[in-house]
Amino acid sequence: MPAGWGPRRRTWLRHAAHRAGLPQPRLVEAPVAVAGYLFATGVQLPVGAFIVVCDVGAGAEVSVLRRSPAGFEVLATWPTRPLAARRSTAPSPPR
């Protein structure tokens, strides 16, 4: 799930899983999943280390994480608007 999703979207996702008959999901923010994967595959990330994760799709989301003894903590996330939204608000080129 995107790190920028707030409580309302997270609750909506939990409700959707419940309505679909699924057990209560454990929601994992995308940058935390990436950092966990890197750590599990042998990348050295000592406790206290910082990592920047860039998620690039239709838009981009950049997150800064810190490794703690319990896992990874998202310190900050900077989302951008999707490319489609940027294109629709851009001025038309001169003719």
Side-chain angles (χ1 to χ4, degrees):
M1 138 191 92
W5 276 20
R8 193 169 88 187
R9 285 182 172 174
R10 293 169 193 236
T11 299
W12 179 86
L13 191 56
R14 286 186 183 99
H15 284 260
H18 177 73
R19 283 192 304 270
L22 300 172
Q24 182 69 17
R26 177 177 169 249
L27 302 179
V28 178
E29 296 168 317
V32 172
V34 169
Y37 173 79
L38 291 172
F39 184 70
T41 57
V43 175
Q44 297 298 312
L45 297 168
V47 171
F50 294 90
I51 181 172
V52 176
V53 176
C54 300
D55 180 3
V56 180
E61 184 177 81
V62 179
S63 299
V64 177
L65 295 84
R66 178 176 45 211
R67 177 155 180 252
S68 70
F72 292 93
E73 171 189 13
V74 177
L75 301 176
T77 296
W78 294 276
T80 63
R81 293 184 315 189
L83 291 176
R86 277 190 259 155
R87 275 192 229 121
S88 66
T89 59
S92 298
R95 294 181 183 214

